[in-house]
């Protein structure tokens, strides 16, 4: 089996960061299958445009024939599944897409992989891996004094997005136990960093702030998330892929529990230094608390001791410093932001926030 991996969803935020990191650290070939829905963006991978090690294929993981053809043609030693609809707010307004991709798509990808796995030699089966990238949202919500999620925490998803990811996790686990497919699952906390679509909290706040637009924060802003720099997440996935125990789940967190309001205020303070507003106005004056979204989980926290103790991984970035680096990246790449803010995105903003943030 050659040094080839198949990455699904490799033009999205986390996927494209993983692809860029993988190509920079590997001599092998990476086949990148992405449907290029609204959040998939080939501009994320512009640096690889002339790199023969990156093979891009536009397609859906639910297209069984296409996946079978790719597996037969390239015979990868691993599949890393990033492909997912991933935004809670979108799942509230349109859950069907989440069921299609996250549940049906994962099922069809597993079926194609199962057939491929049965066709390769016994030697290649010993080294093959299927790694499924998931989220901490499958575990539901924590109280203020509850211990952080571990790999043994019960699943209690609150949104259609989280429920669809929980279902995909169960499918992956079942294919290991029932069919012997050598799977791994990683459940990560909230990612941030370059190339994140500007519907998520940090890039949305940066984009709005530099334009002098309101900074909408749900509820009282006290919802807590554990923030994980995307580069640290990618290193954890690579480590789990190469050294993780087959059939196991690894939680990946950033050790950076912070309220949403604290995150937004930190962004504002950094922007006050990097790009001051006219007449000394503070960016924080743009913050606007708005009606909370349905089923908004109060707190997420990840206990990453298993991946630390077994594989030696730990996050390499402090949230305050990496947040500043992320903001500087977006300030340098505002043309990228404008390019990805499509008409569909503007319709989504109107649907979610409407007159609540009207100026």
């Amino acid at each position: 089996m050659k040094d080839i991996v198949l990455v699904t969803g490799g033009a999205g935020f986390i996927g494209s960061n993983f692809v860029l990191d993988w190509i920079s650290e590997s001599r092998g070939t990476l086949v990148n299958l992405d449907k290029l829905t609204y959040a998939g963006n080939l501009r994320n991978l512009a640096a690889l445009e002339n790199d023969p090690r990156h093979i891009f294929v536009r397609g859906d993981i639910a297209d069984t024939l296409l996946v079978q053809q790719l597996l037969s043609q390239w015979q990868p030693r691993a599949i890393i599944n990033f492909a997912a609809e991933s935004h809670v707010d979108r799942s509230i307004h349109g859950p069907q897409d989440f069921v299609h991709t996250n549940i049906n798509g994962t099922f069809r990808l597993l079926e194609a992989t199962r057939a491929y796995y049965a066709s390769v030699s016994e030697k290649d089966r010993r080294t093959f891996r299927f790694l499924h990238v998931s989220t901490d949202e499958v575990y539901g919500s924590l109280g203020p004094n509850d211990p952080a999620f571990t790999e043994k925490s019960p699943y209690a998803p609150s949104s259609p997005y989280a429920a669809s990811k929980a279902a995909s996790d169960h499918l992956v686990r079942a294919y290991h136990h029932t069919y012997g497919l050598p799977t791994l699952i990683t459940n990560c906390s909230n990612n941030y960093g370059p190339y994140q679509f500007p519907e998520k909290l940090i890039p949305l706040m940066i984009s709005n702030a530099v334009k002098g637009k309101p900074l909408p924060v749900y509820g009282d802003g006290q919802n807590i998330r554990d923030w994980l720099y995307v580069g640290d997440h990618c290193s954890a996935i690579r480590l789990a892929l190469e050294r993780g125990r087959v059939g196991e789940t690894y939680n990946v967190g950033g050790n950076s529990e912070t309220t949403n309001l604290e995150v937004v205020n930190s962004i504002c303070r950094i922007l006050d230094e990097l790009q001051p507003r006219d007449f000394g106005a503070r960016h924080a004056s743009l913050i606007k608390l708005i009606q909370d979204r349905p089923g908004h989980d109060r707190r997420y926290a990840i206990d990453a001791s298993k991946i630390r103790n077994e594989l030696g991984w730990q996050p390499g970035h402090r949230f305050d410093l990496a947040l500043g680096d992320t903001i500087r990246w977006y300030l340098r790449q505002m043309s990228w932001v404008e390019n990805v803010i499509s008409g569909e995105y503007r319709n989504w903003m109107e649907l979610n926030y409407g007159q609540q943030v009207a100026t």
Side-chain angles (χ1 to χ4, degrees):
M1 191 174 285
K2 299 177 182 178
D3 188 13
I4 299 173
V5 297
L6 171 63
V7 171
T8 67
F13 164 46
I14 303 174
S16 62
N17 276 277
F18 179 85
V19 169
L20 291 167
D21 285 355
W22 183 277
I23 293 294
S24 71
E25 299 192 13
S26 170
R27 295 183 179 180
T29 297
L30 185 149
V31 181
N32 182 358
L33 175 64
D34 196 295
K35 191 178 178 180
L36 293 183
T37 56
Y38 76 95
N41 185 357
L42 280 179
R43 286 190 64 186
N44 298 3
L45 302 168
L48 305 178
E49 186 174 0
N50 297 314
D51 194 321
R53 295 172 298 165
H54 178 240
I55 310 297
F56 180 77
V57 179
R58 183 172 185 176
D60 190 341
I61 59 171
D63 185 341
T64 301
L65 181 59
L66 173 61
V67 174
Q68 289 175 335
Q69 290 172 341
L70 291 176
L71 294 175
S72 176
Q73 177 182 359
W74 294 101
Q75 298 188 324
R77 66 177 180 86
I79 298 172
I80 305 99
N81 181 33
F82 292 95
E85 295 286 346
S86 64
H87 195 230
V88 172
D89 291 358
R90 286 182 180 269
S91 79
I92 293 170
H93 294 292
Q96 182 173 339
D97 289 342
F98 291 74
V99 172
H100 170 77
T101 298
N102 299 353
I103 301 177
N104 294 335
T106 300
F107 162 69
R108 293 184 181 278
L109 181 62
L110 285 165
E111 277 289 274
T113 304
R114 180 163 71 99
Y116 167 70
Y117 181 69
S119 73
V120 302
S121 69
E122 183 178 349
K123 177 184 176 182
D124 288 341
R125 284 199 293 270
R126 287 198 295 269
T127 58
F128 178 80
R129 297 291 184 269
F130 180 103
L131 191 148
H132 177 67
V133 180
S134 191
T135 173
D136 59 358
E137 297 196 32
V138 298
Y139 299 121
S141 185
L142 291 170
N145 299 314
D146 290 339
F149 298 129
T150 72
E151 290 80 1
K152 295 188 180 300
S153 296
Y155 276 29
S158 302
S159 68
Y161 160 61
S164 66
K165 288 298 290 183
S168 69
D169 290 6
H170 289 318
L171 283 169
V172 172
R173 198 169 288 114
Y175 270 65
H176 169 67
H177 288 290
T178 303
Y179 303 114
L181 197 66
T183 64
L184 296 148
I185 299 174
T186 57
N187 293 90
C188 69
S189 57
N190 276 41
N191 279 222
Y192 67 100
Y195 299 113
Q196 189 169 28
F197 191 80
E199 66 185 355
K200 300 296 180 75
L201 179 67
I202 288 176
L204 175 62
M205 295 302 110
I206 298 169
S207 177
N208 278 16
V210 299
K211 298 173 184 176
K213 292 183 176 181
L215 308 181
V217 179
Y218 282 128
D220 61 3
Q222 297 306 304
N223 301 75
I224 295 173
R225 300 293 181 262
D226 175 21
W227 292 94
L228 172 67
Y229 186 67
V230 66
D232 289 336
H233 185 195
C234 292
S235 70
I237 292 170
R238 291 198 305 272
L239 198 58
L241 183 67
E242 298 304 324
R243 295 173 48 193
R245 288 186 290 139
V246 168
E248 291 296 314
T249 295
Y250 294 95
N251 282 354
V252 185
N255 298 331
S256 300
E257 285 190 62
T258 311
T259 69
N260 289 344
L261 193 56
E262 288 172 336
V263 171
V264 177
N265 273 305
S266 294
I267 292 170
C268 290
R269 285 194 296 271
I270 295 170
L271 285 174
D272 285 342
E273 297 178 6
L274 298 178
Q275 193 165 307
R277 298 179 67 199
D278 292 340
F279 310 112
R282 297 295 183 182
H283 286 90
S285 65
L286 299 171
I287 296 173
K288 181 178 179 61
L289 299 179
I290 65 172
Q291 182 178 351
D292 210 353
R293 72 184 181 200
H296 195 183
D297 290 335
R298 192 62 171 174
R299 173 176 168 246
Y300 302 144
I302 281 284
D303 179 348
S305 58
K306 179 177 177 179
I307 192 171
R308 181 180 66 247
N309 294 337
E310 289 192 12
L311 305 182
W313 178 89
Q314 59 183 1
H317 291 79
R318 277 177 39 186
F319 178 64
D320 55 344
L321 299 179
L323 179 63
D325 291 340
T326 299
I327 292 171
R328 292 181 185 90
W329 185 90
Y330 279 97
L331 293 179
R332 294 192 301 269
Q333 301 291 338
M334 288 309 297
S335 62
W336 177 91
V337 175
E338 293 303 318
N339 180 267
V340 300
I341 297 179
S342 64
E344 181 182 355
Y345 172 73
R346 288 192 293 271
N347 292 338
W348 173 85
M349 286 289 292
E350 181 65 26
L351 178 64
N352 275 274
Y353 298 120
Q355 296 303 311
Q356 296 187 77
V357 297
T359 56

